[in-house]
Amino acid sequence: MRFLLRRLGFYAVAAWASITLSFFIPRFMPGDPATAMFARFRGRLNPEAIIALRTAFGFSGAPLWKQYLQYLGHVARGDLGISISYYPATVGSVIAQALVWTLLLSGVAVLLSFVAGTFLGMLGAWKRGGWLDSALPPVLTLLGAFPYFWLAMAALFIFGFGLGWSPLRQAYDDRLVPSLSWPFIASVIQHAVLPAATIVVATAGGWMLSMRSTMINVLSQDYVLFAHAKGLSSRRIMFQYAGRNALLPNVAGFGMALGFVLSGSLLTEIVFSYPGQGYLLFRAVKSLDYPLIQGLFLTTTLAVLAANWLVDIVHLWLDPRTGP
Amino acid sequence: MAAIVTLTVGFTAGCGGARPVPTPGVLEIAEGPKTSAFTRNFNPLLEAGDMRWPARGSMYEPLLIWNPITGQYVPWLAQSFSFSDDHLRLVFTLRHGVQWSDGQPFGAADVAFTFELLRTHPALDVLGVGEYLRAARAVGDDTVAFDFTRPFVPGLEDISAYPIVPAHIWKDVADPLTFANPNPIGTGPFTEVTSFQPQAYRIERNPRYWGGPPAIQALHVRAYPANDQSIMAIVNGEVDWAGDFIPAVKRIHVGRDPVHHHYWFPALDATVAFYANTTVAPFGDARVRKALSMTIDRARLVMVAMHDYTHPSDGTGLSDAHERYRDPAAVAAGQAWVTHDPAGAERLFAEAGLLRGADGWRRTPDGARFAPTIVVPVGFSDWVVASQVIARGLRAAGVDVTMRTLDYNAWNDSVQKGEFDLSMGWTLYSNTPYTFYRGLMSRQSVKPVGQDASDNWHRLAIPEADRELTALEETVDPEKQMRLYHALEMVFAREAPAIPLFPGPLWGTFNDKRFTGFPSENNPYAPLSPNLFPQALLVLTRLLPR
């Protein structure tokens, strides 16, 4: 327990650091949102209106430390401000809308990829040299080595444009009203399959390879040999003896991957025009929407930290040596 | 991105599949700015935000609508207007019997209220009427008087264009700057929001519309997360009316259905120019600017950068929207320096003391190599290509020019502050050439280097131009106005303050399978682009279902 609390303390410091960074980094970018808006009007924006807008958006020109303290206060109250590109919607409501889709798409895809990759790796190592072990890793590595952007474009091109199997954009058919009805859920699934599949295909190879190599290592351990000698069923050895021990590095990696789910698979969402966090971040950066960028950074880092803490707990259960 | 668009769109030409079928009587429109999820914002005064298209396209209306095709104001909420003799008062007589969509009568009090709102909230006054407007007041039910602080006739353009909001609703709005106006009450033809989802919304017609109930049942707008997505939808016939740039439009769009798919890209938008910063030697010398201009192969530039959707500018710099102001004498006077003429450029460079050294590169009179930099915002692919064409011409003429692509905001910052050598840029667009020339030549628009300037990035003031511009602020006489515009064109042709490249096209496409009456090259009653406010109202009130 003390171990977990100590970790929690460490995460609190990390959270503060990330909150601070997410305040300062956008401010080091050239230009500010009001000038960006200038451009949209191609100069036809009255200078006084600009000054007034800057103030309205909270770019008061107050000293940075003052703005920083103000920002900390707002964050503590859960007030992330008003989005500039979705003005006058609040950052909270904009993120909430996108969060659902990201959790759904990336969450399911990462989980599927992890489970499938790890299982295949385990199986491959168990039957070393079998057809699974010799055919799958090169194929998955090859697919994973393609630039993801290209892979996703190709998938959209072939299955979306060419064959018409998959919708080309968005998270559901816009003729439907969101509800818990079957047509709506079916539409959501239909829209998610292709993007999720590209994530799985692109990332499963990594899980498989790392699981396979640790598994091979573990399989040569004496206790596995001993288990064989004892006459335990091979299924039990594979899962309980070798698998559980080989899983550790992958679980650590999974924690990281889970955290990054919230940043949205940026490229996936851009290519498939999926209305999640990644697409939102892309738009926010393009339009210099500081409050939204900050809000997205914040949710992402908090998610990464939370995921890591969960991984700590799982680790403790899988490997008692890491405990106190 | 343009390459990707071409690729994907080219491919779809051969595929069908299940595409959404539009409902009969419901006009499908593609909104200008792309987004994946709509914010329910129908505040027409909040241009800076994420306003939905109908707020200014179909719900709230202005006093007059300028029609750039005819060069006339179309009476809208106002029936007529007049200036007082001293040009200090502008009076509008309003249309009688107009109702708000909730049944309340529209009147002078609403107009006065709207402008009072702009005066008290400068952030809403994006056109800057506060600069010259003292007060707007209702004189009876149907008459509104605008009092000016100084004679400023061009103010008519901005005052007549603002959307009018209902006083009886907006007086209770605490902060119009953050008001999203989710349930709008307007005077326009389509006002009733019957469905609003993040991915699509639907606006029904206003049964109380003063022009009579619109012939179309409703408008429907879908969210397109990116341009290639909306182009896909247009090409597939899912969209009836759109204002998107489409590459190879004849093949990709018209080719899909030559009977119903149409486009019209008239060069009515602002002129795109090449700016030479006059605070950087030797660009203060008009001969150097003209020589630069003569190295540019505009025909080639328009072909490779603009897909031949427009044509090279002449020596007045005017866009096609200002055709009626164009003076043939000024065009002739400026013809030499907008023609691709390397020999002529050679002569002018030599006159200005920029001679070629032994290595073939030009030197400035103090012996340094003449090596300016062209800055261009990354991602503006058409401008990048155009700058490359320009750079090639300059290098052939012995100018050791380099191109630097900058992040958009860094670029924006450097041109606005006047800290650049050469750059492409837009010019200001307005109904008359007044704003265009003011932004290029007036002392009023010159800011010191290092200070943000929305126009006159090249920092050039020509006193003669200021005299004509001031005279224009004080006259409503069309003949006198025309003389003054012609004089300004002559000054431009003589001084080459900026190097005009081409007038920008206004993108507009339509599909007349289900609706007829769109403006086109054959029926040019208004511009086609739905992204042009408030001119979109002219089209919406003319469309008929088939």
Side-chain angles (χ1 to χ4, degrees):
Chain A
M1 200 61 214
R2 241 191 55 220
F3 166 77
L4 286 180
L5 282 177
R6 205 171 60 227
R7 299 294 291 170
L8 211 55
F10 165 75
Y11 288 137
V13 174
W16 169 78
S18 68
I19 288 171
T20 306
L21 280 177
S22 76
F23 173 81
F24 284 104
I25 289 176
R27 279 168 177 76
F28 291 138
M29 286 160 58
D32 70 54
T35 21
M37 219 140 41
F38 222 65
R40 244 185 49 203
F41 287 90
R42 298 181 174 188
R44 280 229 77 183
L45 187 53
N46 158 37
E48 271 183 53
I50 299 215
I51 295 166
L53 278 171
R54 275 209 180 101
T55 322
F57 289 151
F59 290 88
S60 47
L64 217 53
W65 63 268
K66 223 177 201 165
Q67 291 185 41
Y68 175 62
L69 287 184
Q70 230 169 26
Y71 170 68
L72 282 187
H74 285 289
V75 168
R77 269 178 281 141
D79 172 12
L80 297 174
I82 291 176
S83 162
I84 289 163
S85 51
Y86 291 89
Y87 193 82
T90 62
V91 170
S93 69
V94 173
I95 291 182
Q97 210 172 52
L99 199 60
V100 184
W101 298 117
T102 292
L103 281 177
L104 201 78
L105 176 68
S106 309
V108 169
V110 168
L111 198 70
L112 269 180
S113 167
F114 172 76
V115 171
T118 307
F119 183 72
L120 288 173
M122 189 154 58
L123 224 57
W126 187 253
K127 298 200 171 145
R128 197 129 69 102
W131 68 268
L132 185 79
D133 189 39
S134 36
L136 216 49
V139 171
L140 284 179
T141 316
L142 185 72
L143 287 174
F146 278 127
Y148 175 76
F149 191 69
W150 190 89
L151 187 79
M153 285 292 287
L156 186 66
F157 189 65
I158 296 167
F159 300 107
F161 294 133
L163 301 170
W165 291 353
S166 162
L168 303 176
R169 58 176 173 268
Q170 297 287 26
Y172 57 87
D173 190 329
D174 53 39
R175 282 166 302 174
L176 299 173
V177 175
S179 63
L180 275 179
S181 64
W182 172 241
F184 180 72
I185 294 170
S187 173
V188 169
I189 294 173
Q190 194 195 3
H191 281 73
V193 166
L194 192 62
T198 60
I199 300 180
V200 171
V201 164
T203 54
W207 297 123
M208 180 171 180
L209 282 184
S210 80
M211 184 63 188
R212 179 178 172 272
S213 54
T214 345
M215 185 80 173
I216 288 171
N217 192 14
V218 170
L219 282 178
S220 63
Q221 297 289 329
D222 290 341
Y223 63 85
V224 176
L225 200 64
F226 178 69
H228 276 295
K230 240 169 71 172
L232 292 178
S233 76
S234 51
R235 171 180 285 195
R236 189 152 169 215
I237 300 172
M238 183 166 94
F239 285 109
Q240 298 271 321
Y241 282 69
R244 181 173 163 181
N245 286 299
L247 205 56
L248 282 173
N250 260 24
V251 168
F254 182 60
M256 293 298 289
L258 210 56
F260 285 115
V261 161
L262 273 206
S263 62
S265 296
L266 187 81
L267 293 176
T268 317
E269 290 180 2
I270 292 170
V271 172
F272 292 97
S273 309
Y274 204 79
Q277 300 265 99
Y279 177 83
L280 208 56
L281 182 64
F282 176 64
R283 233 195 95 146
V285 170
K286 260 176 57 173
S287 50
L288 282 189
D289 188 345
Y290 292 171
L292 189 53
I293 297 175
Q294 281 166 358
L296 287 166
F297 278 173
L298 201 68
T299 40
T300 307
T301 38
L302 290 183
V304 172
L305 293 175
N308 272 299
W309 196 62
L310 284 179
V311 167
D312 280 344
I313 297 175
V314 174
H315 239 254
L316 209 56
W317 169 71
L318 278 175
D319 183 0
R321 284 172 308 177
T322 47
Chain B
M1 212 31 134
I4 297 167
V5 171
T6 325
L7 187 76
T8 49
V9 170
F11 190 81
T12 34
C15 72
R19 309 281 181 216
V21 184
T23 330
V26 179
L27 185 74
E28 187 74 37
I29 298 174
E31 250 191 36
K34 302 303 173 220
T35 182
S36 66
F38 290 130
T39 310
R40 188 167 179 159
N41 173 2
F42 292 106
N43 182 341
L45 299 175
L46 205 59
E47 279 201 75
D50 189 31
M51 176 196 73
R52 296 277 67 80
W53 182 88
R56 295 193 66 195
S58 82
M59 289 170 173
Y60 295 91
E61 299 179 302
L63 294 172
L64 309 170
I65 297 179
W66 173 261
N67 188 340
I69 309 283
T70 59
Q72 303 284 331
Y73 281 105
V74 182
W76 214 252
L77 289 182
Q79 263 170 333
S80 62
F81 65 92
S82 63
F83 269 100
S84 63
D85 288 342
D86 58 4
H87 307 110
L88 281 169
R89 177 172 297 171
L90 171 61
V91 177
F92 286 93
T93 308
L94 302 181
R95 188 177 294 277
H96 195 72
V98 175
Q99 282 185 335
W100 294 103
S101 53
D102 62 355
Q104 296 279 322
F106 157 86
D110 295 307
V111 180
F113 173 83
T114 302
F115 283 89
E116 190 56 26
L117 212 59
L118 297 179
R119 227 174 44 78
T120 46
H121 295 86
L124 296 177
D125 184 16
V126 291
L127 298 180
V129 296
E131 267 175 55
Y132 49 83
L133 185 64
R134 190 197 308 279
R137 56 197 169 79
V139 187
D141 286 347
D142 291 342
T143 310
V144 192
F146 291 85
D147 290 320
F148 287 20
T149 52
R150 64 184 164 97
F152 192 69
V153 173
L156 168 69
E157 173 178 344
D158 295 336
I159 289 176
S160 66
Y162 266 109
I164 306 300
V165 297
H168 69 279
I169 308 268
W170 284 62
K171 68 178 167 37
D172 299 324
V173 172
D175 182 5
L177 206 53
T178 52
F179 179 47
N181 193 21
N183 300 302
I185 301 292
T187 54
F190 297 87
T191 49
E192 314 300 304
V193 187
T194 49
S195 145
F196 197 98
Q197 304 297 332
Q199 289 188 16
Y201 60 83
R202 184 184 161 111
I203 314 291
E204 297 279 325
R205 63 182 159 189
N206 172 7
R208 295 194 172 89
Y209 190 53
W210 55 266
I216 299 169
Q217 183 61 39
L219 313 177
H220 190 254
V221 185
R222 284 200 179 91
Y224 295 104
N227 286 65
D228 43 350
Q229 302 280 346
S230 56
I231 293 175
M232 284 288 322
I234 294 164
V235 170
N236 280 328
E238 293 166 35
V239 175
D240 297 311
W241 189 25
D244 289 47
F245 159 79
I246 300 181
V249 65
K250 278 197 188 112
R251 178 168 57 83
I252 289 176
H253 179 57
V254 180
R256 268 319 272 288
D257 184 352
V259 180
H260 299 301
H261 286 193
H262 304 277
Y263 78 96
W264 186 31
F265 295 167
L268 295 175
D269 208 348
T271 298
V272 174
F274 189 60
Y275 289 98
N277 187 345
T278 61
T279 63
V280 175
F283 300 124
D285 186 336
R287 287 173 302 187
V288 176
R289 295 194 296 270
K290 287 180 183 170
L292 288 180
S293 174
M294 289 157 95
T295 68
I296 301 170
D297 185 349
R298 283 181 174 72
R300 189 182 157 71
L301 186 148
V302 163
M303 186 183 73
V304 296
M306 296 305 294
H307 304 250
D308 263 339
Y309 286 155
T310 174
H311 55 81
S313 282
D314 64 21
T316 64
L318 291 179
S319 149
D320 288 10
H322 297 142
E323 199 54 54
R324 74 194 60 82
Y325 298 102
R326 210 184 297 275
D327 176 12
V331 173
Q335 195 53 48
W337 63 267
V338 292
T339 309
H340 184 215
D341 177 9
E346 183 72 46
R347 217 165 38 242
L348 281 178
F349 275 134
E351 267 181 47
L354 297 162
L355 299 169
R356 280 185 198 256
D359 55 1
W361 297 117
R362 291 188 189 280
R363 317 260 158 196
T364 54
D366 58 11
R369 189 187 277 194
F370 179 33
T373 304
I374 302 178
V375 288
V376 58
V378 64
F380 279 40
S381 52
D382 46 347
W383 284 17
V384 173
V385 173
S387 297
Q388 277 162 348
V389 173
I390 293 172
R392 183 185 295 183
L394 283 174
R395 293 180 74 83
V399 179
D400 186 11
V401 67
T402 39
M403 240 179 88
R404 236 178 101 209
T405 38
L406 294 178
D407 168 64
Y408 174 75
N409 294 293
W411 170 81
N412 193 38
D413 206 46
S414 71
V415 290
Q416 291 204 359
K417 290 199 161 70
E419 291 159 350
F420 70 102
D421 298 336
L422 297 167
S423 177
M424 302 251 312
W426 44 74
T427 55
L428 295 190
Y429 177 80
S430 60
N431 299 350
T432 66
Y434 169 85
T435 315
F436 172 74
Y437 283 131
R438 184 183 186 273
L440 291 174
M441 309 196 280
S442 166
R443 192 166 44 82
Q444 311 278 338
S445 57
V446 176
K447 295 257 170 66
V449 171
Q451 218 178 81
D452 281 343
S454 55
D455 46 15
N456 210 331
W457 294 340
H458 51 292
R459 267 87 178 153
L460 182 66
I462 303 168
E464 191 184 337
D466 267 312
R467 277 200 301 280
E468 324 285 8
L469 288 165
T470 313
L472 274 169
E473 292 169 8
E474 295 167 1
T475 179
V476 288
D477 174 8
E479 272 171 37
K480 192 170 174 209
Q481 284 176 339
M482 196 57 88
R483 271 203 309 280
L484 290 166
Y485 284 126
H486 287 178
L488 280 168
E489 288 164 34
M490 269 305 185
V491 175
F492 187 92
R494 197 184 66 223
E495 297 287 335
I499 299 161
L501 298 175
F502 52 82
L506 273 184
W507 315 117
T509 60
F510 67 91
N511 177 350
D512 63 5
K513 200 168 197 162
R514 301 174 326 109
F515 297 92
T516 57
F518 289 99
S520 66
E521 207 162 354
N522 303 324
N523 182 19
Y525 67 86
L528 176 61
S529 171
N531 302 334
L532 205 62
F533 305 126
Q535 286 80 0
L537 285 164
L538 295 173
V539 180
L540 272 186
T541 47
R542 287 274 285 264
L543 294 181
L544 294 169
R546 243 188 224 282

